[in-house]
Amino acid sequence: MNFVFFAALETPILVASKNGIMEMVTKILELFPMAIYDTHKENWKNIVLMAVENRQSHIYDFLLNRKHLLDREIAFRAVDNHRNTALHLAGKLAGYHHCQHIPTSMLQMQWEVKWYQYVQNSLPPHFLFKNRRGRTPDEIFQIQHQKLQDKSKQWLNSTSNSCSFIAALIATVAFASSASVPGGVKQDTGEPVFENHPAFSIFAMASLVALCCSVISLLIFLTIFISKHQDKDFTMNLPRNFLFGLTSLFISMAAMLTCFCSGNFLMLKGQLKYAAVLVYALTGLLMAYFVLKHFPLFIDLLKATFRKVPERIYKEYL
């Protein structure tokens, strides 16, 4: 009996929109265009409000860009029984089912801010009013996302602090390496002994790249550390700076390893060079393993930063 009661509250298209089943939504609208008027029997939410509340961005984007949609304005300007618009629902904090599969709190905050701004830009500018509790969408967003914002700030500051320490350490070593010449210099001309050796050229360029990238990374992370971390900063500025800082840090680490290996290779003789190549290769493989292990987070950050419509990061878990 309970199943029959709840099934009567929502029509199939509402269930499909709520659960993000694109194929069912598309097929129902093709066969029954009037289904766009379906609403929940208790809370009055239609297909658009269901998609927004449950963070089904692909459903919302489909409805927004569908050419032949009956009464588009009525569907997107609908309100529920508490006079909540789509923007009010976008301002509410996403449920646990959505947030548990987003890797970090910063990505969660970025997703929430971009989703809110995307829904806001898709609605008319004058379509802003208070719900039955007397709250605007901005007020709902600020109240419900305060803890997530504080958690994101703490994660970002902690990560930036750790990365800054590593970047400063690499910069110190890179500066010392760039100031030294493997094998010394010729007494009569002052030119490096291994000037014409390919490994020496690799050593010189790698030490320069490591020094420059580590200093750039250090400056970027210091900028993140002292920034105000406002809501709008999580859409582009903070994630972009963090992405650039992380990229510069990885490049400086790879360049520092290359610098050490090439300099050490010049100092070895005979059979020791072949044995050293195995050590270099093993070290490089371990570093590649570390990078590849954290590469999915890097890709998530990259896609989340430069995509206009927030991606359903957790779709592989559904």
Side-chain angles (χ1 to χ4, degrees):
M1 294 298 294
N2 291 335
F3 175 77
V4 175
F5 173 73
F6 282 109
L9 294 179
E10 298 177 342
T11 60
I13 195 170
L14 296 180
V15 176
S17 177
K18 180 179 179 179
N19 293 279
I21 308 175
M22 174 67 77
E23 297 79 6
M24 185 176 292
V25 172
T26 305
K27 197 64 177 179
I28 292 176
L29 288 178
E30 288 179 356
L31 298 177
F32 308 100
M34 298 298 291
I36 193 69
Y37 297 110
D38 289 358
T39 58
H40 194 280
K41 294 298 185 293
E42 288 187 346
N43 55 37
W44 306 352
K45 293 174 183 175
N46 66 352
I47 181 176
V48 175
L49 298 181
M50 284 289 188
V52 172
E53 183 179 35
N54 293 279
R55 301 303 194 263
Q56 304 297 349
S57 56
H58 61 304
I59 299 292
Y60 185 83
D61 188 58
F62 165 76
L63 296 173
L64 185 64
N65 297 305
R66 184 177 174 84
K67 295 182 179 179
H68 305 290
L69 187 66
L70 292 178
D71 292 335
R72 182 191 307 273
E73 293 187 0
I74 294 178
F76 279 86
R77 297 186 182 187
V79 296
D80 63 8
N81 58 335
H82 296 293
R83 297 189 75 248
N84 289 313
T85 64
L87 193 57
H88 283 92
L89 298 179
K92 293 184 177 181
L93 184 63
Y96 176 75
H97 177 66
H98 173 78
C99 293
Q100 66 175 335
H101 300 304
I102 301 181
T104 66
S105 57
M106 187 192 73
L107 280 176
Q108 293 178 16
M109 188 65 188
Q110 181 191 26
W111 204 103
E112 290 291 301
V113 175
K114 294 193 75 169
W115 176 239
Y116 181 79
Q117 291 182 349
Y118 181 72
V119 175
Q120 185 179 38
N121 294 332
S122 65
L123 297 176
H126 62 275
F127 192 63
L128 296 174
F129 50 83
K130 298 181 179 180
N131 58 11
R132 291 192 185 278
R133 296 186 177 182
R135 292 177 177 174
T136 63
D138 287 340
E139 292 174 348
I140 293 177
F141 185 89
Q142 293 292 337
I143 293 173
Q144 296 209 6
H145 290 81
Q146 187 61 48
K147 291 183 178 179
L148 180 60
Q149 184 177 356
D150 294 339
K151 187 178 179 181
S152 302
K153 291 178 181 178
Q154 183 179 2
W155 182 89
L156 198 57
N157 289 335
S158 176
T159 306
S160 299
N161 190 25
S162 301
C163 292
S164 298
F165 175 77
I166 298 175
L169 184 63
I170 294 177
T172 304
V173 177
F175 179 79
S177 299
S178 62
S180 62
V181 180
V185 297
K186 299 178 182 178
Q187 295 296 332
D188 52 346
T189 61
E191 297 178 351
V193 175
F194 298 108
E195 180 182 9
N196 297 322
H197 200 288
F200 181 80
S201 300
I202 296 176
F203 170 83
M205 289 303 300
S207 62
L208 177 63
V209 172
L211 179 61
C212 294
C213 289
S214 60
V215 171
I216 292 174
S217 178
L218 179 61
L219 292 176
I220 291 176
F221 285 121
L222 288 177
T223 302
I224 294 176
F225 190 76
I226 63 177
S227 62
K228 295 182 179 180
H229 298 172
Q230 297 180 354
D231 293 343
K232 60 181 181 181
D233 294 332
F234 283 94
T235 57
M236 181 62 72
N237 292 337
L238 288 176
R240 182 185 57 193
N241 292 341
F242 184 78
L243 187 65
F244 289 159
L246 206 60
T247 303
S248 299
L249 183 61
F250 281 140
I251 294 176
S252 65
M253 292 172 63
M256 194 68 253
L257 179 61
T258 304
C259 176
F260 170 78
C261 293
S262 58
N264 182 260
F265 185 80
L266 291 172
M267 307 304 296
L268 298 177
K269 297 181 180 180
Q271 298 296 326
L272 290 177
K273 288 188 175 182
Y274 300 101
V277 170
L278 296 177
V279 178
Y280 303 155
L282 179 61
T283 306
L285 289 175
L286 290 176
M287 184 175 179
Y289 171 77
F290 172 78
V291 173
L292 292 176
K293 184 178 180 180
H294 294 82
F295 195 68
L297 176 60
F298 183 85
I299 294 299
D300 286 341
L301 182 61
L302 184 65
K303 292 190 296 185
T305 301
F306 295 101
R307 283 177 63 95
K308 181 180 178 181
V309 182
E311 184 181 14
R312 299 173 66 236
I313 301 177
Y314 63 100
K315 62 185 177 182
E316 63 269 19
Y317 296 94
L318 294 179

